[in-house]
Amino acid sequence: MRLTALASLVLAFAGTCLAQDSGTFKPATSNVLDAQYPRVDNDSRVEIRFKAPDAAKVRVNFWSGPKADMEKQADGFWTFTTPPLAPGLHYYTVIVDGAEVSDPGSTAYFGGSKWASAVEVPEAGATYYLPQDVPHGQVREIWYNSKVTGTWRHALVYTPPGYDAQIKERYPVLYLQHGGGEDESGWTRQGRANFILDNLIAARKAKPMLVVMANGYARRAGQTVPDLRGKGFGSPEMRKVMQDMMTAFEDDVTQALIPYIDSNFRTLTTREHRAMAGLSMGGMQTFHVTFNHLDLFTYIGGFSGAANAFAAGSDKLDTKTAFNGAMADPAAFAKRVHLLWFGVGTTEPERMRQGIQKLHASLEEAKIQHVYYESPGTDHEWQTWRRDLQDFAPRLFQAAAQKSIAAAQKK
Amino acid sequence: MRLTALASLVLAFAGTCLAQDSGTFKPATSNVLDAQYPRVDNDSRVEIRFKAPDAAKVRVNFWSGPKADMEKQADGFWTFTTPPLAPGLHYYTVIVDGAEVSDPGSTAYFGGSKWASAVEVPEAGATYYLPQDVPHGQVREIWYNSKVTGTWRHALVYTPPGYDAQIKERYPVLYLQHGGGEDESGWTRQGRANFILDNLIAARKAKPMLVVMANGYARRAGQTVPDLRGKGFGSPEMRKVMQDMMTAFEDDVTQALIPYIDSNFRTLTTREHRAMAGLSMGGMQTFHVTFNHLDLFTYIGGFSGAANAFAAGSDKLDTKTAFNGAMADPAAFAKRVHLLWFGVGTTEPERMRQGIQKLHASLEEAKIQHVYYESPGTDHEWQTWRRDLQDFAPRLFQAAAQKSIAAAQKK
């Protein structure tokens, strides 16, 4: 190997980069190797430091946070310190003379349709999404052949601790979807879903389950995509493409992915043992897929994203007709769908919060059994969705468990 | 979700980005989603396009290739087209007014101690590292608790097709290490090791095996790292840190990782069924670990990296004393080590090629059984290492197979 590269690696790994002394700042846990920046202090302020010796202007762009000019230092680095930020993982980019790029000190996370930077701001006392000294499940990359898309598709599967050893055991499955601009890596890389499940399972707060994280973009085999240049978001052409993506995804999940998972993993295959949830775009997809296939799913979660089920111009859900009429009879619905769950962060943009709150209000009024959760002080970001999963996962597959216990007691 | 984000995603996914018409250029397979740039033409030329409307100077920096000024276009994008490049995955960065950054059109690959860009240049006729219509193994993320480092450590494990179904079958294991500045994700993300194995196994050219890809950086629990600021590469302080990293890695592999793998996967646990190989820094580590533990390994591979086994100032290996004297008796060595394998690319920097060629020459002269492979026309880059693995993997575990067959025939 190149000796100079090795030397600089050793230097980086040894953590001797020239960090400025300053209060309680520590390198973010989301940094690469031992990169000293970005760093976070005890007040949740984030300091960004970015090398751009010849730039005229460098800005930092937190996607759900500060957007500000950075300050040039004598050594060619630009710095900026944020005000205290909410806990969680915050996507950001740096804009160097008009070029929006990632910070090389950060781990790359797939978001905004590119590999972006993010900084982890710890939440005081919150350990539920951190790797603990408990048994760890595996996260498996799989490739399945989809007749729907005509391609090999990549997905991730969390298998709980003990899956390989308990070879007679079968497990329920949660299908868990990422948001728009993200991909199937989001729930483990950004969301730490595997650690959340590890910790819940170790504490016996959630049943051991598989979590399948699929890629949310699907294009039907042979389907041509129209030229969308110049077409607006609400244009019929754009709506058609989105609708096609949605139904291709629906068919891929129900006709290719679920059969593959049930054939290749030791799953419990009835609807009592299958859940689906997703965040943002993934929440919309979850509602679309599950309500079209209630024969397959019993547990449904929308994290900062649910259904566009309101009639045009209306603020209220028509629970008699919405979702193919699944809720028309609240008692029958409660029996059929063991969990209907919505969540939203209290500092998410007004438009997003309102959509979910109105759905909640409509369901309350019609006495449709559901759970509504608000994540205090978090935005349309991963801390909201980690909390959602932490609240959602323990509620899963309990009805089936109670049934099994009841059945066992009868014998 | 944000409607504008969704709209731009749909646009990206629909592939309607404004691509300039130009010859046979096609988007690189290493791009994110449907990003149109970088793109590659039939002559293996790569066109980079990078948005930096306010920059004064933008350079492209292929780490083993062209380093050149890009040309500003009227639309705020900068472009550059390389001369024909060798096939394979080429790391590159873009330097915007002195800031070295990744190209948002590229998938991010961990190299150079950061998440960098790379462009895949196809090799005419070469399909061995591409996903084919064959059964696919899984790539599993695992976490193991290392008493050596005092931390939970992350590794990847390739399990061959059928591993979950053939529950009585046990498998040999190849430990496969990344290079300096890379991490455990390199062999699958950059190297496509899983597809190489899938294809070899489907063609019955390699035995089904596990491939364990560990993180090559290890720091012993409680070990403090000296301040290396201002210390040169050859300084005693730096050498000490490197030596400590090496032995911590050695202990982690032999005392934590191997026992974990053998306890948690259905492996064949004798030395006849264990191989180790690595590229560049990983090759050096392989030689260090295996020759200190010949009780554990029977197959050894160095890909563009082997041992610093020459005496100071000498161009020749003293095969009587090198490697703890393991080669002193060539016949005994050939019996004990079933495969000693070296490879190097013909266009790698002179210094690297010479080190490996001299090792080869010394072994030839001393009649030490080994395999020496040159990858034609490739540099210190992933195409060399993909070819290395393609040549190396089929040679593994064949002696054990022959022994088993002989034993079976005797019965």
Side-chain angles (χ1 to χ4, degrees):
Chain A
M1 70 175 308
R2 285 156 205 240
L3 298 185
T4 49
L6 182 56
S8 64
L9 174 70
V10 168
L11 279 167
F13 189 64
T16 55
C17 179
L18 280 162
Q20 312 294 322
D21 275 337
S22 152
T24 60
F25 280 102
K26 290 203 191 74
T29 57
S30 43
N31 292 358
V32 293
L33 294 177
D34 283 353
Q36 298 294 302
Y37 293 86
R39 54 187 200 169
V40 187
D41 78 357
N42 289 352
D43 295 325
S44 301
R45 298 183 306 160
V46 173
E47 184 182 0
I48 307 282
R49 186 166 176 268
F50 184 87
K51 185 179 178 184
D54 309 323
K57 185 172 182 178
V58 179
R59 285 177 64 78
V60 66
N61 173 32
F62 280 86
W63 301 0
S64 296
K67 298 160 207 309
D69 288 342
M70 296 180 75
E71 198 176 322
K72 189 168 188 178
Q73 308 299 325
D75 58 4
F77 284 81
W78 297 67
T79 59
F80 177 76
T81 302
T82 70
L85 299 184
L89 189 75
H90 302 286
Y91 286 121
Y92 70 99
T93 36
V94 176
I95 302 170
V96 187
D97 288 344
E100 186 172 358
V101 298
S102 296
D103 180 348
S106 164
T107 295
Y109 299 92
F110 197 72
S113 304
K114 63 190 172 213
W115 288 90
S117 307
V119 59
E120 183 76 54
V121 174
E123 177 166 350
T127 57
Y128 69 92
Y129 56 93
L130 304 181
Q132 304 282 333
D133 205 10
V134 300
H136 291 296
Q138 298 177 353
V139 177
R140 304 183 180 190
E141 293 188 77
I142 62 160
W143 288 262
Y144 65 100
N145 201 338
S146 172
K147 293 242 185 319
V148 175
T149 61
T151 58
W152 285 91
R153 284 171 64 81
H154 180 250
L156 298 176
V157 179
Y158 168 82
T159 56
Y163 179 86
D164 276 341
Q166 312 298 327
I167 60 170
K168 306 251 156 143
E169 195 77 24
R170 302 188 78 88
Y171 297 82
V173 186
L174 164 62
Y175 290 81
L176 188 61
Q177 287 302 124
H178 61 83
E182 296 170 344
D183 71 10
E184 63 273 26
S185 68
W187 265 111
T188 51
R189 286 175 67 91
Q190 286 96 306
R192 327 298 307 267
N194 51 316
F195 296 128
I196 292 173
L197 266 294
D198 285 347
N199 295 332
L200 285 172
I201 292 168
R204 297 176 171 274
K205 288 183 182 163
K207 295 186 74 67
M209 65 183 82
L210 302 187
V211 182
V212 176
M213 294 154 282
N215 183 290
Y217 313 116
R219 196 183 292 159
R220 203 173 294 277
Q223 191 166 47
T224 55
V225 178
D227 188 340
L228 292 176
R229 278 174 280 183
K231 308 294 182 189
F233 180 73
S235 67
E237 294 85 352
M238 181 75 91
R239 286 184 178 279
K240 172 75 165 53
V241 167
M242 289 178 60
Q243 187 60 25
D244 287 347
M245 277 178 61
M246 184 69 99
T247 60
F249 175 75
E250 171 188 358
D251 288 354
D252 181 65
V253 168
T254 56
Q255 296 169 25
L257 180 60
I258 291 176
Y260 180 88
I261 295 295
D262 284 341
S263 302
N264 290 277
F265 290 87
R266 297 192 318 279
T267 58
L268 293 160
T269 60
T270 61
R271 64 185 293 278
E272 270 74 29
H273 301 96
R274 197 176 292 114
M276 186 168 183
L279 75 92
S280 198
M281 177 182 87
M284 291 165 56
Q285 292 177 317
T286 294
F287 275 73
H288 177 87
V289 171
T290 56
F291 278 98
N292 278 346
H293 299 275
L294 286 177
D295 56 315
L296 293 176
F297 298 94
T298 315
Y299 301 84
I300 301 168
F303 303 170
S304 308
N308 283 330
F310 298 98
S314 169
D315 268 0
K316 207 171 139 183
L317 189 75
D318 179 352
T319 57
K320 293 295 175 197
T321 59
F323 302 119
N324 312 329
M327 299 171 174
D329 176 346
F333 179 74
K335 220 167 162 183
R336 193 166 185 212
V337 173
H338 295 321
L339 179 62
L340 178 63
W341 194 104
F342 305 95
V344 71
T346 61
T347 59
E348 292 200 39
E350 191 65 15
R351 183 167 39 76
M352 291 186 193
R353 259 195 6 262
Q354 284 191 352
I356 303 216
Q357 285 170 342
K358 284 175 193 167
L359 184 55
H360 167 52
S362 296
L363 295 177
E364 284 284 295
E365 193 183 318
K367 302 198 186 331
I368 311 292
Q369 185 177 292
H370 69 286
V371 173
Y372 173 68
Y373 168 78
E374 283 191 353
S375 167
T378 62
D379 205 335
H380 199 68
E381 290 195 297
W382 276 97
Q383 201 73 350
T384 301
W385 307 319
R386 290 168 177 168
R387 291 176 179 171
D388 289 346
L389 182 61
Q390 172 77 0
D391 186 273
F392 181 73
R395 302 174 186 269
L396 297 179
F397 313 124
Q398 301 297 345
Q402 283 157 12
K403 263 192 204 168
S404 303
I405 292 162
Q409 286 172 339
K410 265 191 203 166
K411 279 179 195 169
Chain B
M1 72 175 308
R2 285 160 206 238
L3 298 184
T4 49
L6 181 56
S8 66
L9 174 69
V10 169
L11 279 167
F13 189 64
T16 53
C17 178
L18 279 161
Q20 311 295 321
D21 275 337
S22 155
T24 60
F25 279 102
K26 289 201 191 75
T29 57
S30 42
N31 293 358
V32 292
L33 293 178
D34 283 354
Q36 298 295 300
Y37 293 87
R39 53 188 200 168
V40 188
D41 79 355
N42 289 351
D43 295 325
S44 301
R45 298 184 306 161
V46 173
E47 185 182 0
I48 307 283
R49 186 166 177 269
F50 184 87
K51 185 179 179 184
D54 309 324
K57 186 172 182 179
V58 179
R59 285 177 63 78
V60 67
N61 173 33
F62 279 87
W63 301 0
S64 296
K67 297 161 207 309
D69 288 342
M70 297 181 73
E71 198 177 321
K72 188 167 188 179
Q73 307 300 322
D75 58 3
F77 284 82
W78 297 67
T79 59
F80 177 75
T81 303
T82 71
L85 299 184
L89 189 75
H90 303 286
Y91 285 122
Y92 71 99
T93 36
V94 176
I95 302 170
V96 187
D97 289 343
E100 186 171 359
V101 297
S102 296
D103 180 347
S106 164
T107 295
Y109 299 93
F110 196 72
S113 304
K114 63 189 171 215
W115 288 90
S117 308
V119 58
E120 182 75 56
V121 174
E123 176 165 352
T127 57
Y128 68 91
Y129 55 93
L130 304 181
Q132 304 282 332
D133 204 10
V134 300
H136 292 295
Q138 298 176 355
V139 178
R140 306 182 180 191
E141 293 187 78
I142 62 161
W143 288 263
Y144 65 99
N145 200 339
S146 172
K147 292 240 184 319
V148 176
T149 62
T151 58
W152 285 91
R153 283 172 63 81
H154 180 249
L156 298 176
V157 179
Y158 168 82
T159 56
Y163 179 86
D164 276 340
Q166 311 299 325
I167 58 170
K168 305 253 155 139
E169 196 76 25
R170 300 188 80 89
Y171 297 83
V173 186
L174 164 61
Y175 290 81
L176 187 61
Q177 287 302 123
H178 61 83
E182 295 169 345
D183 70 11
E184 64 273 27
S185 68
W187 264 110
T188 52
R189 287 176 66 91
Q190 286 96 306
R192 327 300 305 267
N194 52 316
F195 296 129
I196 292 173
L197 267 293
D198 285 346
N199 294 332
L200 284 172
I201 292 168
R204 298 177 170 275
K205 288 182 183 164
K207 294 184 75 67
M209 65 183 82
L210 302 187
V211 183
V212 176
M213 295 155 280
N215 183 292
Y217 314 117
R219 196 183 293 158
R220 201 174 295 277
Q223 189 166 47
T224 55
V225 178
D227 188 340
L228 293 176
R229 278 174 280 185
K231 308 292 181 189
F233 180 72
S235 67
E237 292 86 353
M238 180 74 90
R239 284 183 180 279
K240 172 74 164 55
V241 168
M242 288 178 59
Q243 188 60 26
D244 287 348
M245 276 178 62
M246 184 70 98
T247 60
F249 175 75
E250 171 189 358
D251 288 354
D252 181 65
V253 168
T254 56
Q255 295 169 25
L257 181 60
I258 290 176
Y260 180 88
I261 295 295
D262 284 342
S263 302
N264 289 278
F265 290 87
R266 298 192 316 279
T267 58
L268 294 160
T269 60
T270 62
R271 65 185 293 278
E272 271 74 28
H273 301 96
R274 198 178 292 114
M276 186 169 182
L279 74 91
S280 199
M281 175 182 89
M284 292 165 55
Q285 292 176 315
T286 295
F287 275 74
H288 177 87
V289 171
T290 56
F291 278 98
N292 278 347
H293 299 274
L294 285 177
D295 55 315
L296 293 176
F297 298 95
T298 316
Y299 301 83
I300 302 169
F303 304 169
S304 308
N308 283 332
F310 299 98
S314 171
D315 268 359
K316 208 172 137 182
L317 189 75
D318 179 352
T319 57
K320 293 295 174 196
T321 59
F323 303 119
N324 312 331
M327 298 171 175
D329 176 348
F333 178 74
K335 222 168 158 179
R336 194 164 183 214
V337 172
H338 295 322
L339 179 62
L340 178 63
W341 194 105
F342 305 96
V344 71
T346 62
T347 59
E348 292 198 38
E350 191 65 15
R351 182 168 39 77
M352 292 186 193
R353 259 194 6 262
Q354 284 191 355
I356 302 216
Q357 285 170 342
K358 284 175 193 167
L359 185 55
H360 167 52
S362 296
L363 295 177
E364 282 284 293
E365 194 184 316
K367 299 198 185 341
I368 311 292
Q369 185 177 292
H370 69 287
V371 174
Y372 173 68
Y373 168 78
E374 285 190 351
S375 168
T378 61
D379 205 333
H380 198 68
E381 290 194 299
W382 277 98
Q383 201 72 351
T384 300
W385 307 319
R386 290 169 177 168
R387 290 176 181 172
D388 289 347
L389 182 61
Q390 172 76 0
D391 185 274
F392 180 75
R395 301 173 187 271
L396 297 179
F397 314 122
Q398 300 298 343
Q402 283 158 13
K403 262 192 205 169
S404 304
I405 291 163
Q409 284 171 341
K410 263 189 205 166
K411 281 178 193 170

